PDB file of all heavy atoms in Angstrom:
ATOM      1  N   LEU A 187      27.930  -6.330  -7.633  1.00  0.00           N
ATOM      2  CA  LEU A 187      27.122  -6.233  -6.418  1.00  0.00           C
ATOM      3  C   LEU A 187      27.979  -6.137  -5.163  1.00  0.00           C
ATOM      4  O   LEU A 187      27.670  -5.365  -4.250  1.00  0.00           O
ATOM      5  CB  LEU A 187      26.184  -7.440  -6.327  1.00  0.00           C
ATOM      6  CG  LEU A 187      25.096  -7.533  -7.408  1.00  0.00           C
ATOM      7  CD1 LEU A 187      24.378  -8.869  -7.342  1.00  0.00           C
ATOM      8  CD2 LEU A 187      24.097  -6.386  -7.278  1.00  0.00           C
ATOM      9  N   LEU A 191      27.798  -2.888  -2.829  1.00  0.00           N
ATOM     10  CA  LEU A 191      27.391  -3.073  -1.431  1.00  0.00           C
ATOM     11  C   LEU A 191      28.388  -2.416  -0.473  1.00  0.00           C
ATOM     12  O   LEU A 191      28.001  -1.734   0.481  1.00  0.00           O
ATOM     13  CB  LEU A 191      27.238  -4.566  -1.120  1.00  0.00           C
ATOM     14  CG  LEU A 191      26.799  -4.921   0.296  1.00  0.00           C
ATOM     15  CD1 LEU A 191      25.420  -4.348   0.591  1.00  0.00           C
ATOM     16  CD2 LEU A 191      26.795  -6.442   0.487  1.00  0.00           C
ATOM     17  N   CYS A 347      21.399  -0.414   3.268  1.00  0.00           N
ATOM     18  CA  CYS A 347      22.068  -1.590   2.710  1.00  0.00           C
ATOM     19  C   CYS A 347      23.218  -2.014   3.609  1.00  0.00           C
ATOM     20  O   CYS A 347      24.183  -1.261   3.796  1.00  0.00           O
ATOM     21  CB  CYS A 347      22.585  -1.294   1.303  1.00  0.00           C
ATOM     22  SG  CYS A 347      21.277  -1.018   0.108  1.00  0.00           S
ATOM     23  N   ARG A 348      23.089  -3.194   4.148  1.00  0.00           N
ATOM     24  CA  ARG A 348      24.179  -3.792   4.909  1.00  0.00           C
ATOM     25  C   ARG A 348      23.978  -5.302   4.830  1.00  0.00           C
ATOM     26  O   ARG A 348      22.836  -5.786   4.790  1.00  0.00           O
ATOM     27  CB  ARG A 348      24.181  -3.307   6.353  1.00  0.00           C
ATOM     28  CG  ARG A 348      22.920  -3.605   7.122  1.00  0.00           C
ATOM     29  CD  ARG A 348      22.975  -3.024   8.512  1.00  0.00           C
ATOM     30  NE  ARG A 348      21.676  -3.096   9.160  1.00  0.00           N
ATOM     31  CZ  ARG A 348      21.347  -2.361  10.214  1.00  0.00           C
ATOM     32  NH1 ARG A 348      22.218  -1.522  10.731  1.00  0.00           N
ATOM     33  NH2 ARG A 348      20.152  -2.474  10.758  1.00  0.00           N
ATOM     34  N   PRO A 349      25.043  -6.038   4.797  1.00  0.00           N
ATOM     35  CA  PRO A 349      24.934  -7.487   4.638  1.00  0.00           C
ATOM     36  C   PRO A 349      24.083  -8.129   5.725  1.00  0.00           C
ATOM     37  O   PRO A 349      24.183  -7.768   6.895  1.00  0.00           O
ATOM     38  CB  PRO A 349      26.390  -7.957   4.719  1.00  0.00           C
ATOM     39  CG  PRO A 349      27.195  -6.765   4.337  1.00  0.00           C
ATOM     40  CD  PRO A 349      26.437  -5.585   4.856  1.00  0.00           C
ATOM     41  N   SER A 350      23.238  -9.043   5.315  1.00  0.00           N
ATOM     42  CA  SER A 350      22.398  -9.802   6.233  1.00  0.00           C
ATOM     43  C   SER A 350      22.596 -11.285   5.964  1.00  0.00           C
ATOM     44  O   SER A 350      22.779 -11.700   4.822  1.00  0.00           O
ATOM     45  CB  SER A 350      20.922  -9.434   6.041  1.00  0.00           C
ATOM     46  OG  SER A 350      20.074 -10.354   6.702  1.00  0.00           O
ATOM     47  N   SER A 356      17.223  -9.656   3.204  1.00  0.00           N
ATOM     48  CA  SER A 356      18.394  -8.913   2.748  1.00  0.00           C
ATOM     49  C   SER A 356      17.984  -7.696   1.931  1.00  0.00           C
ATOM     50  O   SER A 356      16.873  -7.619   1.408  1.00  0.00           O
ATOM     51  CB  SER A 356      19.307  -9.822   1.919  1.00  0.00           C
ATOM     52  OG  SER A 356      18.637 -10.284   0.767  1.00  0.00           O
ATOM     53  N   ASP A 357      18.888  -6.735   1.824  1.00  0.00           N
ATOM     54  CA  ASP A 357      18.624  -5.532   1.053  1.00  0.00           C
ATOM     55  C   ASP A 357      18.688  -5.828  -0.443  1.00  0.00           C
ATOM     56  O   ASP A 357      19.085  -6.912  -0.868  1.00  0.00           O
ATOM     57  CB  ASP A 357      19.628  -4.437   1.431  1.00  0.00           C
ATOM     58  CG  ASP A 357      21.058  -4.876   1.180  1.00  0.00           C
ATOM     59  OD1 ASP A 357      21.463  -4.903   0.003  1.00  0.00           O
ATOM     60  OD2 ASP A 357      21.767  -5.197   2.146  1.00  0.00           O
ATOM     61  N   GLU A 358      18.303  -4.823  -1.240  1.00  0.00           N
ATOM     62  CA  GLU A 358      18.215  -5.027  -2.680  1.00  0.00           C
ATOM     63  C   GLU A 358      19.561  -5.333  -3.326  1.00  0.00           C
ATOM     64  O   GLU A 358      19.622  -6.071  -4.313  1.00  0.00           O
ATOM     65  CB  GLU A 358      17.610  -3.790  -3.346  1.00  0.00           C
ATOM     66  CG  GLU A 358      16.123  -3.634  -3.131  1.00  0.00           C
ATOM     67  CD  GLU A 358      15.530  -2.541  -3.987  1.00  0.00           C
ATOM     68  OE1 GLU A 358      15.166  -2.807  -5.146  1.00  0.00           O
ATOM     69  OE2 GLU A 358      15.436  -1.399  -3.490  1.00  0.00           O
ATOM     70  N   ILE A 359      20.629  -4.757  -2.812  1.00  0.00           N
ATOM     71  CA  ILE A 359      21.939  -4.963  -3.442  1.00  0.00           C
ATOM     72  C   ILE A 359      22.478  -6.357  -3.155  1.00  0.00           C
ATOM     73  O   ILE A 359      22.998  -7.031  -4.049  1.00  0.00           O
ATOM     74  CB  ILE A 359      22.948  -3.896  -2.966  1.00  0.00           C
ATOM     75  CG1 ILE A 359      22.478  -2.503  -3.397  1.00  0.00           C
ATOM     76  CG2 ILE A 359      24.333  -4.171  -3.549  1.00  0.00           C
ATOM     77  CD1 ILE A 359      23.363  -1.368  -2.910  1.00  0.00           C
ATOM     78  N   SER A 360      22.341  -6.812  -1.919  1.00  0.00           N
ATOM     79  CA  SER A 360      22.960  -8.092  -1.550  1.00  0.00           C
ATOM     80  C   SER A 360      22.091  -9.303  -1.878  1.00  0.00           C
ATOM     81  O   SER A 360      22.574 -10.440  -1.832  1.00  0.00           O
ATOM     82  CB  SER A 360      23.316  -8.100  -0.057  1.00  0.00           C
ATOM     83  OG  SER A 360      22.163  -7.923   0.737  1.00  0.00           O
ATOM     84  N   TYR A 361      20.827  -9.085  -2.236  1.00  0.00           N
ATOM     85  CA  TYR A 361      19.904 -10.206  -2.430  1.00  0.00           C
ATOM     86  C   TYR A 361      20.439 -11.239  -3.422  1.00  0.00           C
ATOM     87  O   TYR A 361      20.468 -12.441  -3.144  1.00  0.00           O
ATOM     88  CB  TYR A 361      18.534  -9.697  -2.895  1.00  0.00           C
ATOM     89  CG  TYR A 361      17.507 -10.791  -3.018  1.00  0.00           C
ATOM     90  CD1 TYR A 361      16.740 -11.176  -1.924  1.00  0.00           C
ATOM     91  CD2 TYR A 361      17.305 -11.465  -4.221  1.00  0.00           C
ATOM     92  CE1 TYR A 361      15.806 -12.195  -2.025  1.00  0.00           C
ATOM     93  CE2 TYR A 361      16.375 -12.479  -4.334  1.00  0.00           C
ATOM     94  CZ  TYR A 361      15.629 -12.838  -3.228  1.00  0.00           C
ATOM     95  OH  TYR A 361      14.716 -13.869  -3.333  1.00  0.00           O
ATOM     96  N   VAL A 362      20.856 -10.775  -4.587  1.00  0.00           N
ATOM     97  CA  VAL A 362      21.299 -11.725  -5.615  1.00  0.00           C
ATOM     98  C   VAL A 362      22.600 -12.413  -5.217  1.00  0.00           C
ATOM     99  O   VAL A 362      22.871 -13.539  -5.658  1.00  0.00           O
ATOM    100  CB  VAL A 362      21.415 -11.019  -6.987  1.00  0.00           C
ATOM    101  CG1 VAL A 362      22.095 -11.901  -8.011  1.00  0.00           C
ATOM    102  CG2 VAL A 362      20.028 -10.625  -7.491  1.00  0.00           C
ATOM    103  N   LEU A 363      23.407 -11.785  -4.365  1.00  0.00           N
ATOM    104  CA  LEU A 363      24.615 -12.455  -3.867  1.00  0.00           C
ATOM    105  C   LEU A 363      24.240 -13.714  -3.083  1.00  0.00           C
ATOM    106  O   LEU A 363      24.948 -14.722  -3.133  1.00  0.00           O
ATOM    107  CB  LEU A 363      25.425 -11.505  -2.989  1.00  0.00           C
ATOM    108  CG  LEU A 363      26.126 -10.346  -3.714  1.00  0.00           C
ATOM    109  CD1 LEU A 363      26.738  -9.377  -2.706  1.00  0.00           C
ATOM    110  CD2 LEU A 363      27.198 -10.874  -4.675  1.00  0.00           C
ATOM    111  N   HIS A 364      23.130 -13.656  -2.366  1.00  0.00           N
ATOM    112  CA  HIS A 364      22.634 -14.845  -1.656  1.00  0.00           C
ATOM    113  C   HIS A 364      22.298 -15.961  -2.642  1.00  0.00           C
ATOM    114  O   HIS A 364      22.538 -17.137  -2.374  1.00  0.00           O
ATOM    115  CB  HIS A 364      21.388 -14.493  -0.845  1.00  0.00           C
ATOM    116  CG  HIS A 364      21.668 -13.746   0.419  1.00  0.00           C
ATOM    117  ND1 HIS A 364      21.813 -14.374   1.637  1.00  0.00           N
ATOM    118  CD2 HIS A 364      21.831 -12.428   0.663  1.00  0.00           C
ATOM    119  CE1 HIS A 364      22.039 -13.475   2.577  1.00  0.00           C
ATOM    120  NE2 HIS A 364      22.060 -12.272   2.012  1.00  0.00           N
ATOM    121  N   ILE A 365      21.708 -15.599  -3.770  1.00  0.00           N
ATOM    122  CA  ILE A 365      21.314 -16.594  -4.769  1.00  0.00           C
ATOM    123  C   ILE A 365      22.546 -17.211  -5.428  1.00  0.00           C
ATOM    124  O   ILE A 365      22.602 -18.433  -5.653  1.00  0.00           O
ATOM    125  CB  ILE A 365      20.409 -15.955  -5.831  1.00  0.00           C
ATOM    126  CG1 ILE A 365      19.192 -15.290  -5.171  1.00  0.00           C
ATOM    127  CG2 ILE A 365      19.979 -17.002  -6.847  1.00  0.00           C
ATOM    128  CD1 ILE A 365      18.409 -16.192  -4.253  1.00  0.00           C
ATOM    129  N   LEU A 397      29.818 -11.649   1.191  1.00  0.00           N
ATOM    130  CA  LEU A 397      29.086 -10.633   1.936  1.00  0.00           C
ATOM    131  C   LEU A 397      29.865 -10.070   3.123  1.00  0.00           C
ATOM    132  O   LEU A 397      29.428  -9.089   3.733  1.00  0.00           O
ATOM    133  CB  LEU A 397      27.749 -11.200   2.423  1.00  0.00           C
ATOM    134  CG  LEU A 397      26.723 -11.465   1.315  1.00  0.00           C
ATOM    135  CD1 LEU A 397      25.656 -12.436   1.791  1.00  0.00           C
ATOM    136  CD2 LEU A 397      26.079 -10.183   0.859  1.00  0.00           C
ATOM    137  N   TYR A 492      19.055  -4.049 -14.539  1.00  0.00           N
ATOM    138  CA  TYR A 492      19.091  -4.298 -13.094  1.00  0.00           C
ATOM    139  C   TYR A 492      20.231  -3.539 -12.439  1.00  0.00           C
ATOM    140  O   TYR A 492      20.046  -2.888 -11.387  1.00  0.00           O
ATOM    141  CB  TYR A 492      19.238  -5.802 -12.848  1.00  0.00           C
ATOM    142  CG  TYR A 492      19.312  -6.196 -11.398  1.00  0.00           C
ATOM    143  CD1 TYR A 492      18.271  -5.897 -10.519  1.00  0.00           C
ATOM    144  CD2 TYR A 492      20.417  -6.893 -10.897  1.00  0.00           C
ATOM    145  CE1 TYR A 492      18.332  -6.268  -9.184  1.00  0.00           C
ATOM    146  CE2 TYR A 492      20.481  -7.269  -9.572  1.00  0.00           C
ATOM    147  CZ  TYR A 492      19.444  -6.961  -8.717  1.00  0.00           C
ATOM    148  OH  TYR A 492      19.507  -7.330  -7.396  1.00  0.00           O
ATOM    149  N   LEU A 496      19.849  -0.333  -9.681  1.00  0.00           N
ATOM    150  CA  LEU A 496      20.493  -0.257  -8.376  1.00  0.00           C
ATOM    151  C   LEU A 496      21.399   0.970  -8.262  1.00  0.00           C
ATOM    152  O   LEU A 496      21.408   1.659  -7.234  1.00  0.00           O
ATOM    153  CB  LEU A 496      21.298  -1.533  -8.118  1.00  0.00           C
ATOM    154  CG  LEU A 496      20.492  -2.824  -7.944  1.00  0.00           C
ATOM    155  CD1 LEU A 496      21.433  -4.018  -7.781  1.00  0.00           C
ATOM    156  CD2 LEU A 496      19.554  -2.738  -6.735  1.00  0.00           C
TER     157      LEU A 496
END
Side-chain angles (χ1 to χ4, degrees):
L187 294 171
L191 181 62
C347 293
R348 59 183 169 199
S350 167
S356 62
D357 59 75
E358 286 190 86
I359 297 177
S360 60
Y361 184 87
V362 170
L363 290 172
H364 284 266
I365 304 307
L397 290 161
Y492 179 60
L496 293 177

